[in-house]
Structures are given as C-alpha cells and as structure tokens.
Amino acid sequence: MTALTALVPSLVPMESNALSQFGHDAWWVIGLKAVSILVLLLLLTLFNIWFERRVVGRMQHRPGPNVNGPFGLLQSLADALKLIFKEGIIPKAADKVVYLVAPIIAVIPSFVTFSVIPFGPEVTIPFTDTRTPLQLTDMPVAVLFVMAIASLGIYGIVLGGWSSGSTYSLLGGLRSGAQMISYEVAMGLALVAVFLYAGSMSTSEIVEAQDNLWFGLILLPSFVIYMISMVGETNRAPFDLPEAEGELVGGFHTEYSSMTFALFFLAEYINMATVSAVATTLFLGGWHAPFWLDHAWAGANEGYWPVLWFLGKVLFFIFIFIWLRGTLPRLRYDQFMAFGWKRLIPISLVWIIAVATIRAISLDGGIDRRYLLIGIGVLAAIFLVLFFIGGTEEEPAAAPQFATGSGFPVPPMPAGGPVRGAAGPLVFEDRSPVTASATTAQSTSQPSAAAGGPGEEI
C-alpha cells in the first residue's frame, strides 16, 4: 500500500480543487443537468443511427436514407415511432417478468454512466447568475464507477436471452457474457496506466492532467488496447458474435419485438457513446480544444465551446465503429476469444509494468520521464506488431478414425485415407441402347439367388 501511495499520491482520499466544485448545486440545477444528459443521449442515438446508415451507404456506393426529412435526418425518428407502435409479442415459453425487465436492466446503466463524464469547464447557466461545472457529479473513483455500472448491463442481455425460452437467444446471451468478461479485463488493464500517470481516478482531474499533452499520445499502447476492447465490449462488428445472424438468427434479442427490442437497440447505441466518451475523457484530453487551439485562441476552452470539442471527439470514435462495421468481416468465436486472452491481456500487463517503472523512476528524480515514455512506447509498439506477424501456420489436424466394429454404424473411410485436393474426375458407364438391351436380357435369363430361383427353397 505504501508503494502504491508513492506511485499514485493522488489516490489517497483527499479533497482536491476539481472535486470541491461538486456537491453544492441546487436541486433545480441537478435536475436540469440530468434532463439535458437524457435529451442529449436520445438525440445522439437518433443521429448515430442515421450517421451509420449514411456512412455505410457511401462505403457500399448507395445513398442510404435520403427521403424522410432533409438528407434523411428524420428516418431514425420514423423507425423509432414504428417500433413504439408495433404490437409486442411475448413467446409462450418465456418467463414474462424477466423477459420484460431484462431490456430495462440493459438500458438504465447506459444512461447512468454519463453522470460522471465532464462535458466542459465551469460555466454560467444562461439567464441566471448560477455557475456550475458541465458535469453532473464526480467522485474520487469515477472511472471505476463507470466500469462497475457498465458491467451491470450484461445482466439484461443474459437474462433476456435466458428468459426468451429459445436456444438461439440463450447461446447469444452466454456468448455476450463471456465476451464482455474477457474484454473487460483488457480494458481495465489499459486504464491502469492512465491512473498511474494521472495520479487520480476522478474524470475531471484526469481531464485537467491532459491540459498540455493528451494521454492518447504518451500512452499509445493503452489507447490502442482500449479501442480494441471497447469494440468487443459493445458487441459491435467485427466482434458482434452474440448477434451473429448466420449462426444465432438474432442472438439474445431473437424473440424480442416492438418496444422491448427498441430498448436493446437503444442500449447498444448509448453504450457506443459511453465508451467513446470515456475514451475521449481518458485519452484525448476530454473537453479541451483539439490541436491545441487554445494557444492561438484564448477562448477555445472557455464557456460552452468545449462541449463542441467534446462531441466532435465522441463522433470521431463513433465513425471508427461504423468504419469497422463496413470494412471488416466477423471473426470466428474461438479466434475472437483467443485474441482477447492471448494477445491483449499479456500486452496490457507488460505495458503496465513499464508505466509503473517510468512513474517510479520519475518520482525519484531519475531519468527524464519523456524520454522513457518514448522509448517504452516504441518497444511496446514493436512488441504489438510482433504478435501479429511471424507466426507459423499450424499443420492440419489428422482426420479422426471411425470405429467400424460394433456400435453406431458409420460410413467406411476411403481406402487410401482422406482425400486431399481436388476431387477426381467423374466416370460414367456406357449406357448405349445395344449394351443396355443385352444387359437386360442377361439379367432376366439368370435370376439372382437373392430373389429366389425356381428350385430354391424360400
């Protein structure tokens, strides 16, 4: 504990300047912030659905939605209204209570996680003299709070798959649970490097620590690992194995329709926004102006302008999600799980040891921390590349030998073993009329023993 305190002095419970801004708002200010976050997430979901369909349409050389409203912007609203007014069907074999509660369990944590995301600095509410930070609340362990609340969403997916009474839904829910557990480990390890370097788990303090240099640059391996993990965490392509329509029809929401299906759909898109907002907060400077515009424009990080920078960075990650979906094919499930456990987690552990070493040396007044970070970052990048290249192709497994004795009858194996390569040419018998008539006459004059001859006992 003493060593951890020495490495991360800000993790010791104390009242910092950033945290002291919270807990003093009036009830109407808290309500205004909560309603604003709710409205923003709903509008962002409608926009993201339209944005995804337009971007993928451009990638596939088709226009996408372009009829309802200007540029098709009202298409998402039309789809939402259609789902709301459709008839809800509950399968006969479903557990009705759990079946209806599961989508609510999945969608509520998606909204709650945004309560500790900073959208901007302290501002004045229009038409009032009240000043408040553009963040609902904050706490010393805000990032752990985000991960804990986001993990609760998996209960809704697993319960939804189980309560549907369908094998496809159950398999989709189990896949989603295994997938989220696997990639949450790598995601948590990637965030440890941020905690060690920032010296805090508070989101507002992490944003303040990136005032001069973003963690996405100096902690590049953590940034890359988090981006891969967040795609697996949200069950998005190419990691959308719980919803693989070629294997599981629709996955855990196969038996859902109408508003219950819309809640699962809403949870997925808000989770995309959540992991994008966390990535923006921890690695891209949060609401700070991009490309260090504040050096050329003093007001870039003041007032409500930071909200624009924050949303722009979030939409950048949303575009990455869409780009991956329109570009990469779906992975096989065993490849996907092996990649998480055999690639991401070992790299994360090595990188954490490196960052902890850098932190200890810099606190003791040793080598300049910037040169150490550059050197370790280059080594980690080389280590990451070596994981993807240089592997030897595995020999194909030998064909299983089937028992031909007693037991369940199985077809015999070919005489020379399994046939490899192209199939042999087809050879057809000569069935000319002359040959066919001679064969027929011979068969009628010599009855077979199986049919029973004139002098044979039957």
Side-chain angles (χ1 to χ4, degrees), residues 5 40 48 54 63 91 138 150 170 180 194 232-233 250 293-294 311 330 387 390 435 440:
T5 305
L40 175 65
N48 287 341
R54 292 286 289 188
D138 198 5
L170 178 60
M180 184 168 291
V194 176
E233 180 85 0
L293 292 177
D294 53 328
L311 293 178
R330 181 181 294 121
F387 261 94
T435 307
T440 304

Side-chain angles (χ1 to χ4, degrees), residues 3 13 58 80 84 88 124 137-138 154 179 193 196 198 218 228 252 260 272 294 308 311 324 327 400:
R58 290 294 181 180
I84 291 174
T124 302
T137 187
D138 198 5
I154 186 60
Q179 178 172 326
L196 290 173
I218 58 180
I228 298 174
F252 59 89
T260 52
M272 287 173 54
D294 53 328
L308 181 62
L311 293 178
L324 293 176
T327 307

Side-chain angles (χ1 to χ4, degrees), residues 195 232 301 364 391:
F195 302 154
N301 289 330
D364 293 339

Side-chain angles (χ1 to χ4, degrees), residues 343 385-395:
R343 296 292 186 269
V385 171
L386 291 177
F387 261 94
F388 293 95
I389 63 175
T392 58
E393 185 177 356
E394 296 182 359
E395 292 293 332

Side-chain angles (χ1 to χ4, degrees), residues 133-145:
L134 286 175
Q135 183 177 354
L136 182 58
T137 187
D138 198 5
M139 57 189 74
V141 289
V143 181
L144 295 184
F145 171 80

Side-chain angles (χ1 to χ4, degrees), residues 91-174:
K92 185 177 181 180
D95 187 322
K96 294 184 179 180
V97 176
V98 181
Y99 178 87
L100 296 175
V101 172
I104 302 175
I105 297 176
V107 76
I108 288 179
S110 306
F111 288 98
V112 175
T113 50
F114 263 85
S115 60
V116 294
I117 298 296
F119 292 86
E122 189 174 2
V123 297
T124 302
I125 299 179
F127 309 109
T128 65
D129 296 331
T130 304
R131 291 189 61 83
T132 182
L134 286 175
Q135 183 177 354
L136 182 58
T137 187
D138 198 5
M139 57 189 74
V141 289
V143 181
L144 295 184
F145 171 80
V146 170
M147 296 191 67
I149 296 298
S151 301
L152 296 178
I154 186 60
Y155 287 99
I157 294 177
V158 174
L159 291 176
W162 171 81
S163 63
S164 298
S166 169
T167 305
Y168 293 119
S169 301
L170 178 60
L171 290 176
L174 294 177

